[in-house]
Structure formats: structure tokens, C-alpha cells
């Protein structure tokens, strides 16, 4: 599966596997919640678990992550509590945003998850600002922003990459290239057919990585995070990945892609590949992996019950927390 893995500790490998599985089980449950009508729907991250997992494996609570509209996997990989996440999806007062943000605004500043965001491309300058703030304050915190191939042609990315490069800011620009912006194919919409190549225009490294391979993402991210932390500036990473479900809600029409293409990516599934890797090199047994999966299912079930049992926010809370003070 990977080029080199000898330097990765067993704890880190197991954390990555647990995180991949927890995201997958959470997202499956989010779909069930939508099917039962408890929520209107979500932008599913099933199929795309490996990118934030491999990257966040290098991050601390005082590093920043900024997401987009499809961000449950970013939040879980950054350590946000899944009880609070599920409660947020259901609009409950115990949610990360006290039930007033929903799926596209999940945030937990104590974990450095500064927010998902429904406006495509909008968090890229925010992440750049976080990196500037860390630099000005003399901290070695790193800022990471995740965005899609659709967002990669937004002016906000290009303005941010330029500033990050001239100011040598500690930021990772991470494009999760899942090949479609809603139904618009990457090949049609992105000139030059590569997001990573655009880094050259800003004098920063641009790396393409297999976004279905968590170990490869981990290795590429390790170099980029280290570079940012020691003051050597930004990196652009393009992770080639795929979303298994429709753009929003699992039942969106998907006539714009073929069953063969879907199968190609499902055969490269990040969880199956990681399982095989852990078994082949003797890091874990089949039984241990099954226990991890069962544990993830139990945690998601508990989170769902927590969310269902929680109260809705009181109407008197409507205007509170409109502005927050960063801790
Ligand atoms: C500024 C803006 N334009 C359009 C939209 C509508 N919209 C929501 S998601 C999306 C596609 C984004 O595609 P991409 O960035 O590739 O992310 P993906 O959904 O593939 O993860 C669009 C056009 C929006 N939310 N914000």
C-alpha cells in the first residue's frame, strides 16, 4: 500500500484506522438520519476519509483546520466530539454550535476546528489569516484548509496562495479532488488539468497524492506540516479522491458518472486498503480490526441516542452567540 511506513508508529497507524472507520460509520448514520427525515440531508464524505485522516494525524489542538460544506470527516479527524456533532446535525442545544449551525457550520475552537462553511472557497482566506495570526504571535501553529476541485478556481484561493507565499505563512492548502463540483467534471472545469501544478505560479511546492491511500497522504502531509512549522512557508496538496454518494444526500441523481468509474474507486477504498496493509505487515489481527469497527458502530449509536434525547435550543437563545470570542 505505501512506499515507506517504517517510521510510522503502531499507535499512529491504529489511530488512522480507527479514524477512517469512525468517519465512515458516522457518515452512514448521518445518511440514515436523513432517510428517516430527522435532518434534511448532508454532503456525505464517504469515500474521502483518508485525506483529513492522514493530514490531521500530524496536527495538535492548537493547529487550525478550516473546512467547507463537506466537512464531517475534517471535524472527526481533528478530534471534534461525535456526540456534539450528531446533536448539531439534529439541531439540538447540546450540539457543537448549540444547534444553530447544522451540518455546514460545525466548529469547535477548543480542538482547533474553526468551522465548516457553506460558501465555496470562503474559508481559504480565513485559514490564511489564521496562519498570519500564528506567525505574528510567534507561535508554531499550522493552519490547514480543505476545499474541493470546484473551489480551486475561485479567486480566494489564488489571492490566498499569493499572500501566503510572499509572507511565508504556515498554511497547507488541501484540495480534495473528488472529480466533480456537484455534476461538473474536473476535466471540463479546471484549466491545465491539475490543481497542484498551480502552486508553481506562486513559488510553493505543489504535490499530487493518492487520496485513497492514507499512508501516502500521511507522508506527504508530514513534509508539508514540518515545512510550515519551521517557518518555510505554505504547500498546496491535491489529493485525488472520490465521493461514493451524490453531491448532497445519497439519492441525488448521478447520471453524470458511470458505474465503471464508481467501481474503480470503490475497489481502491481507503478502509479496505488500510485493513489489508495492517494485516499484511502484522500490525493488527482481523479480530482487532473487527473490534475497532464494532466500537465505532457503538460510539455512533451512542452519539445518535445522545442527539435524539437532547433538547432543542430555547427560542430565547436565538440571538446569543452570534459573535464568539476565540478562547
Ligand atoms: C460561492 C458559492 N457558489 C456556489 C455554491 C453552490 N455549491 C455548493 S457546493 C458546490 C460544489 C463545490 O464543489 P467542490 O468545491 O469540488 O466540492 P465538493 O462538493 O466536490 O466536495 C457548489 C457549486 C456555494 N455554496 N457557494
Amino acid at each position: 500500500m505505501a512506499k515507506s511506513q517504517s517510521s510510522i508508529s503502531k499507535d499512529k497507524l491504529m489511530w488512522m484506522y480507527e479514524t477512517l472507520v469512525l468517519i465512515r460509520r458516522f457518515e452512514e448514520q448521518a445518511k440514515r438520519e436523513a432517510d428517516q427525515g430527522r435532518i434534511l440531508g448532508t454532503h456525505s464524505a464517504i469515500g474521502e476519509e483518508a485525506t483529513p485522516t492522514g493530514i490531521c494525524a500530524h496536527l495538535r489542538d492548537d493547529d487550525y483546520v478550516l473546512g467547507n460544506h463537506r466537512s464531517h470527516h475534517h471535524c472527526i479527524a481533528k478530534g471534534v466530539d461525535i456526540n456534539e456533532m450528531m446533536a448539531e446535525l439534529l439541531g439540538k442545544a447540546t450540539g457543537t454550535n448549540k444547534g444553530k449551525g447544522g451540518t455546514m457550520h460545525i466548529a469547535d475552537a477548543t480542538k482547533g476546528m474553526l468551522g465548516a462553511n457553506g460558501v465555496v472557497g470562503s474559508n481559504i482566506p480565513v485559514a490564511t489569516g489564521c496562519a498570519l495570526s500564528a506567525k505574528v504571535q510567534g507561535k508554531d501553529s499550522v493552519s490547514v484548509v480543505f476545499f474541493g476541485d470546484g473551489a480551486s478556481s475561485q479567486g480566494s484561493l489564488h489571492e490566498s496562495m499569493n499572500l501566503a507565499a510572499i509572507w511565508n505563512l504556515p498554511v497547507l492548502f488541501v484540495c480534495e479532488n473528488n472529480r466533480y463540483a456537484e455534476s461538473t467534471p474536473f476535466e471540463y472545469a479546471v484549466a491545465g488539468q491539475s490543481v497542484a501544478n498551480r502552486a508553481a505560479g506562486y513559488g510553493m511546492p505543489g504535490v499530487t497524492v493518492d487520496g485513497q491511500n492514507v499512508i501516502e497522504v500521511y507522508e506527504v502531509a508530514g513534509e508539508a506540516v514540518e515545512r510550515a512549522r519551521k517557518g518555510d512557508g505554505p504547500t498546496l496538496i491535491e489529493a485525488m479522491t472520490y465521493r461514493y454518494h451524490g453531491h448532497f444526500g445519497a439519492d441525488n441523481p448521478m447520471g453524470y458518472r458511470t458505474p465503471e468509474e464508481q467501481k474503480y474507486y470503490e475497489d481502491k477504498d481507503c478502509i479496505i486498503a488500510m485493513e489489508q496493509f495492517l494485516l499484511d505487515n502484522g500490525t493488527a489481527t482481523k479480530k482487532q480490526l473487527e473490534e475497532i469497527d464494532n466500537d465505532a458502530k457503538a460510539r455512533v449509536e451512542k452519539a445518535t441516542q445522545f442527539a435524539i434525547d437532547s433538547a432543542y435550543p430555547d427560542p430565547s437563545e436565538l440571538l446569543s452567540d452570534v459573535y464568539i470570542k476565540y478562547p
Side-chain angles (χ1 to χ4, degrees):
M1 176 187 188
K3 293 172 291 194
S4 76
Q5 74 286 338
S6 50
S7 57
I8 311 176
S9 71
K10 181 177 176 182
D11 281 357
K12 194 62 86 180
L13 289 170
M14 295 312 288
W15 178 87
M16 287 198 278
Y17 181 72
E18 284 160 19
T19 304
L20 295 175
V21 172
L22 187 62
I23 295 169
R24 179 73 54 94
R25 300 301 168 229
F26 183 93
E27 289 295 72
E28 287 169 350
Q29 182 61 25
K31 179 188 174 325
R32 283 191 283 271
E33 291 304 307
D35 291 346
Q36 290 170 37
R38 278 200 279 257
I39 54 177
L40 287 176
T42 65
H43 297 89
S44 169
I46 293 183
E48 303 190 28
E49 297 89 347
T51 304
T53 300
I55 290 174
C56 292
H58 296 280
L59 302 185
R60 314 182 305 229
D61 283 353
D62 64 344
D63 292 322
Y64 313 112
V65 163
L66 281 296
N68 58 358
H69 51 285
R70 190 181 312 284
S71 245
H72 297 170
H73 54 331
H74 309 143
C75 295
I76 294 175
K78 193 66 176 59
V80 180
D81 182 271
I82 63 163
N83 293 358
E84 293 180 20
M85 282 180 66
M86 195 59 88
E88 190 57 41
L89 295 190
L90 269 62
K92 299 299 183 76
T94 51
T96 46
N97 305 48
K98 301 187 184 172
K100 293 183 280 184
T103 168
M104 281 189 276
H105 298 98
I106 295 172
D108 182 351
T110 65
K111 295 285 178 195
M113 177 61 210
L114 300 192
N117 196 319
V119 181
V120 171
S122 62
N123 259 348
I124 302 170
V126 179
T128 309
C130 290
L132 175 61
S133 148
K135 182 168 176 159
V136 167
Q137 294 178 73
K139 296 181 185 165
D140 70 346
S141 297
V142 167
S143 184
V144 177
V145 60
F146 295 97
F147 53 89
D149 43 290
S152 69
S153 297
Q154 292 273 38
S156 59
L157 174 64
H158 296 268
E159 294 165 33
S160 297
M161 286 201 291
N162 188 63
L163 278 179
I166 62 167
W167 290 340
N168 229 20
L169 299 180
V171 55
L172 272 62
F173 299 102
V174 182
C175 177
E176 291 171 292
N177 184 347
N178 63 14
R179 304 203 44 191
Y180 297 94
E182 299 200 356
S183 57
T184 305
F186 169 77
E187 288 79 5
Y188 167 81
V190 176
Q193 307 293 296
S194 164
V195 175
N197 281 355
R198 293 176 170 189
Y202 301 95
M204 71 174 79
V207 192
T208 305
V209 65
D210 180 356
Q212 304 305 97
N213 183 326
V214 71
I215 306 280
E216 281 193 24
V217 175
Y218 178 86
E219 288 175 343
V220 162
E223 281 177 36
V225 169
E226 192 188 332
R227 189 179 132 76
R229 233 188 259 299
K230 65 177 197 223
D232 290 345
T235 300
L236 171 62
I237 295 174
E238 180 180 15
M240 308 310 289
T241 183
Y242 202 69
R243 65 168 152 74
Y244 292 179
H245 292 299
H247 168 71
F248 178 81
D251 302 324
N252 262 197
M254 291 209 279
Y256 51 88
R257 57 197 214 181
T258 62
E260 292 76 25
E261 178 182 298
Q262 176 102 12
K263 184 174 178 319
Y264 171 80
Y265 285 98
E266 289 187 3
D267 285 348
K268 281 160 58 72
D269 183 75
C270 61
I271 295 180
I272 297 173
M274 184 61 166
E275 264 169 17
Q276 205 52 55
F277 171 77
L278 295 171
L279 293 173
D280 286 351
N281 70 15
T283 307
T285 63
K286 188 94 190 134
K287 187 163 176 292
Q288 283 169 320
L289 299 182
E290 277 167 15
E291 281 166 8
I292 288 169
D293 195 15
N294 289 336
D295 183 58
K297 285 178 187 153
R299 286 177 64 190
V300 168
E301 208 177 296
K302 198 170 139 236
T304 309
Q305 202 52 54
F306 170 81
I308 291 169
D309 293 343
S310 294
Y312 287 105
D314 192 273
S316 66
E317 289 292 309
L318 187 63
L319 296 179
S320 60
D321 301 317
V322 175
Y323 296 100
I324 68 150
K325 189 171 178 304
Y326 185 70

